[in-house]
Amino acid sequence: MSHPVTVAVESPRQPEIELLLDGSTAYAQSLYPPESNFLLDITTLEQPEVAFYVARDGERAVGIAALVAETDAESGELKRMFVDPGARGMGVAGALLGHIETDAASRGIREIVLETGDLHDAAQALYTRHGYREIPQFGQYVGEAHSVCFAKSLSALE
């Protein structure tokens, strides 16, 4: 990285962000059958209950993630976490998680939940390193053969 990574809430409808979304989709589709992919589309990512985060190295977008939380919700779901392959291993995902967790806690969200795939070993390791614990499948993921779910309490951040 040539600059410190910055993270901010931005619109997902930007050409370079759409390229990261396309990369995320292609990666997920290369690993799992269509019925095992739970990717939010760009229109959903623009909804009021979704905060869409972009990590940048200077001006260049290098990572994305979304937090979905209904108004007055005590939990939020992390979705569409993806780091550009050329920026992996440089702390981008950790920067995204840290920023999202702090932002969520300041909004009254007490827990972040997420689903990842059983073949996403690096993602599972990342979440574990950052204090997430594996939980039973929830919501639309119940019974999904490839889904592994995690959660993290944000009470320490309040």
Side-chain angles (χ1 to χ4, degrees):
M1 296 268 150
S2 53
H3 303 88
V5 175
T6 59
V7 178
V9 173
E10 297 185 25
S11 168
R13 205 173 288 273
Q14 303 175 59
E16 64 180 329
I17 305 306
E18 291 182 44
L19 288 174
L20 286 173
L21 288 167
D22 290 346
S24 168
T25 299
Y27 181 67
Q29 290 175 344
S30 75
L31 295 175
Y32 306 106
E35 65 274 8
S36 296
N37 283 305
F38 298 93
L39 304 172
L40 299 182
D41 63 27
I42 197 163
T43 301
T44 304
L45 292 170
E46 293 176 309
Q47 297 306 304
E49 68 274 12
V50 179
F52 188 81
Y53 298 85
V54 177
R56 292 184 178 275
D57 174 19
E59 295 296 313
R60 187 172 72 98
V62 292
I64 55 172
L67 185 67
V68 181
E70 301 296 329
T71 304
D72 299 326
E74 289 201 1
S75 71
E77 184 178 357
L78 185 69
K79 299 287 290 181
R80 292 307 293 250
M81 179 84 149
F82 184 75
V83 174
D84 181 274
R88 291 185 185 156
M90 300 179 182
V92 175
L96 276 163
L97 280 177
H99 189 92
I100 291 167
E101 291 167 4
T102 300
D103 188 39
S106 74
R107 293 173 30 210
I109 294 172
R110 298 182 172 280
E111 180 180 58
I112 292 179
V113 296
L114 64 94
E115 179 269 350
T116 190
D118 60 349
L119 301 176
H120 280 90
D121 296 331
Q124 291 180 52
L126 169 80
Y127 297 129
T128 301
R129 249 189 343 272
H130 286 270
Y132 288 76
R133 69 194 185 287
E134 192 170 336
I135 60 169
Q137 293 175 330
F138 63 92
Q140 66 183 333
Y141 314 115
V142 173
E144 171 53 48
H146 294 288
S147 290
V148 180
C149 297
F150 288 86
K152 181 177 182 177
S153 170
L154 301 180
S155 57
L157 299 177
E158 293 174 343

